[in-house]
Amino acid sequence: MKVVAAYLLAVLGGNTSPSAEDVKDILGSVGADADDDKIELLLSQVKGKDITELIAAGREKLASVPAGGGGGAVSVAAPVGGGGGAAAPAAAEPKKEEKVEEKEESDDDMGFSLFD
């Protein structure tokens, strides 16, 4: 990732086709080790390609990747079961319970505080 980040920094800096030396200089400026094999692999894969097109293609690929925890499965499963209307209020009720917070007892610390 640091090699990709250094390459992208070079492109953002105006260098449309950064060399291995440019990437090494960027990595060296922050004290990171430069792996020549990884740099050459990256440069061979992006050679002759427009970086904005590569980023756009990557976004399209990532759009199809499911992301999220159990919340996404609930919203997808509700329409299939036909109980979509009933599932929404049930999901809202636990949120109300979580909002209830216990009152902190700041003066019941036996006469001393951590920050005194």
Side-chain angles (χ1 to χ4, degrees):
M1 287 302 287
K2 64 184 173 184
V3 174
V4 174
Y7 181 85
L8 290 173
L9 282 172
V11 172
L12 284 173
N15 187 350
T16 57
S17 182
S19 67
E21 194 61 36
D22 295 332
V23 174
K24 287 179 188 178
D25 288 343
I26 292 171
L27 291 172
S29 70
V30 294
D33 294 328
D35 185 5
D36 292 335
D37 294 336
K38 289 182 181 179
I39 293 171
E40 292 302 323
L41 176 65
L42 173 70
L43 293 178
S44 68
Q45 290 179 345
V46 298
K47 185 176 182 179
K49 297 179 183 176
D50 183 31
I51 195 69
T52 55
E53 291 175 6
L54 289 174
I55 292 173
R59 283 187 182 177
E60 289 176 13
K61 289 180 181 179
L62 285 176
S64 65
V65 175
V74 172
S75 64
V76 173
V80 174
E93 289 180 22
K95 291 181 183 178
K96 290 179 184 177
E97 291 178 281
E98 292 175 342
K99 290 181 182 178
V100 177
E101 296 179 9
E102 294 182 19
K103 183 180 177 182
E104 294 184 23
E105 299 176 7
S106 60
D107 292 334
D108 294 335
D109 57 2
M110 293 190 257
F112 64 92
S113 174
L114 181 63
F115 300 107
D116 281 343

